[in-house]
Amino acid sequence: MNKYLRFAIPVLALFASGCSSVYMPNVPNTPMLSKQGEFSGGGHISLKGNASINGAYAISDHIGILASGSTMQSERRSKDFSHKLIEIGGGYFDTFGPDNNRIIEIYGGVGKGWSDITNRDFKNDVLVYSERQEVDYRKSFLQVNYSSKRKNNLHLFGTDFPINYGTALRISHVKMDRFFLNGIVQPKEDNIFFEPIFFTRMGLSKNIQLQYTTSSNIGLKNRDYMSAGNSIFTIGIVVNVGGK
């Protein structure tokens, strides 16, 4: 199944990435905790400049807490995009399998986000249209993470690097608290997003891994502004300390 997801999710994301939306998803927190006292932290960046940080801690052998944040500041001739998002949550994790090397996690949480977007249209180098979108929104999410710590080896430059894979299925409800177009109050929108995520991790050392993340973002409601217009393509570093 992972083999098919590795190819299907990037294709879905290509179709979603061509649209525009006031909602920019962050890289979901996938710490893959395994026992009490374990800490996981990570930092990720996309080609668009969307930066995400994640942190998680196992307060018992089956309960973990999460915190995440993301930010982006992009200024271009036709579009400026600024956003911030913070999340907190918690949930259950467990290891299973013949060697206890498979991990499943179920987490829920809430978040708060801000977006400030300006779209411009030019004709013969003359500005003919400009629209500024200012949005505050809240979100709630539920996600299931699965990964196996069974590793394949990638042989590069005479060295073996362990590779493992994981998936996360997240569903998020995002609802506007405030929405302005060119300073004028607008009707607020909401949407429910289904976000299937696939990640690949390559071990650089015992505790440090390089992670590539890709996902699709599917909106379950038809909305003009709170739509599924952004997907995830990031590279990052993940650190796990104190696990099995």
Side-chain angles (χ1 to χ4, degrees), residues 126-143:
V126 176
L127 180 65
V128 295
Y129 175 77
S130 178
E131 179 184 81
R132 183 177 182 184
Q133 306 164 7
E134 298 172 88
V135 178
D136 294 355
Y137 58 86
R138 71 184 74 180
K139 71 179 294 186
S140 55
F141 66 89
L142 178 67
Q143 71 183 63

Side-chain angles (χ1 to χ4, degrees), residues 43-73:
H44 311 267
I45 186 90
S46 73
L47 293 177
K48 294 181 179 180
N50 186 27
S52 298
I53 57 172
N54 297 326
Y57 182 74
I59 60 176
S60 75
D61 281 336
H62 295 292
I63 302 298
I65 54 175
L66 313 173
S68 301
S70 67
T71 184
M72 177 177 172
Q73 185 75 39

Side-chain angles (χ1 to χ4, degrees), residues 4 6 17 24 38-39 47 52 62 66 68 83 87 121 128 130 133 138 153 172 180 190 213 224 227 240:
Y4 293 109
R6 255 176 276 175
S17 60
M24 174 68 72
E38 183 175 2
F39 169 80
L47 293 177
S52 298
H62 295 292
L66 313 173
S68 301
H83 102 102
E87 292 178 353
D121 191 17
V128 295
S130 178
Q133 306 164 7
R138 71 184 74 180
N153 283 329
S172 301
F180 291 92
D190 77 314
T213 307
D224 292 327
S227 58
N240 277 69

Side-chain angles (χ1 to χ4, degrees), residues 77-138:
R77 186 170 185 266
S78 60
K79 183 176 183 178
D80 296 340
F81 193 108
S82 174
H83 102 102
K84 295 179 181 179
L85 173 64
I86 55 174
E87 292 178 353
I88 57 172
Y92 174 86
F93 67 88
D94 198 7
T95 59
F96 65 100
D99 300 313
N100 273 334
N101 58 5
R102 300 174 187 177
I103 301 173
I104 189 166
E105 300 176 303
I106 303 173
Y107 295 121
V110 296
K112 178 69 176 178
W114 302 262
S115 293
D116 192 338
I117 305 167
T118 301
N119 293 299
R120 306 180 189 90
D121 191 17
F122 293 86
K123 186 175 182 179
N124 297 325
D125 290 329
V126 176
L127 180 65
V128 295
Y129 175 77
S130 178
E131 179 184 81
R132 183 177 182 184
Q133 306 164 7
E134 298 172 88
V135 178
D136 294 355
Y137 58 86
R138 71 184 74 180

Side-chain angles (χ1 to χ4, degrees), residues 206-223:
K206 180 180 178 181
N207 302 112
I208 300 175
Q209 295 176 305
L210 182 69
Q211 176 171 312
Y212 168 68
T213 307
T214 182
S215 83
S216 178
N217 185 16
I218 303 166
L220 302 186
K221 297 182 179 181
N222 185 18
R223 295 291 186 259

Side-chain angles (χ1 to χ4, degrees), residues 104-206:
I104 189 166
E105 300 176 303
I106 303 173
Y107 295 121
V110 296
K112 178 69 176 178
W114 302 262
S115 293
D116 192 338
I117 305 167
T118 301
N119 293 299
R120 306 180 189 90
D121 191 17
F122 293 86
K123 186 175 182 179
N124 297 325
D125 290 329
V126 176
L127 180 65
V128 295
Y129 175 77
S130 178
E131 179 184 81
R132 183 177 182 184
Q133 306 164 7
E134 298 172 88
V135 178
D136 294 355
Y137 58 86
R138 71 184 74 180
K139 71 179 294 186
S140 55
F141 66 89
L142 178 67
Q143 71 183 63
V144 178
N145 307 333
Y146 169 80
S147 180
S148 172
K149 289 197 173 182
R150 294 183 302 173
K151 297 178 174 65
N152 301 317
N153 283 329
L154 176 65
H155 192 74
L156 288 176
F157 310 112
T159 304
D160 286 332
F161 294 93
I163 300 287
N164 66 316
Y165 308 98
T167 59
L169 299 177
R170 166 183 271 212
I171 189 162
S172 301
H173 179 235
V174 183
K175 181 179 181 181
M176 293 179 177
D177 287 328
R178 183 179 68 108
F179 183 28
F180 291 92
L181 286 182
N182 293 329
I184 300 174
V185 177
Q186 301 294 313
K188 293 178 285 188
E189 296 182 351
D190 77 314
N191 211 333
I192 298 173
F193 298 104
F194 175 59
E195 300 166 311
I197 297 102
F198 177 82
F199 58 90
T200 301
R201 291 179 176 175
M202 181 175 72
L204 303 180
S205 69
K206 180 180 178 181

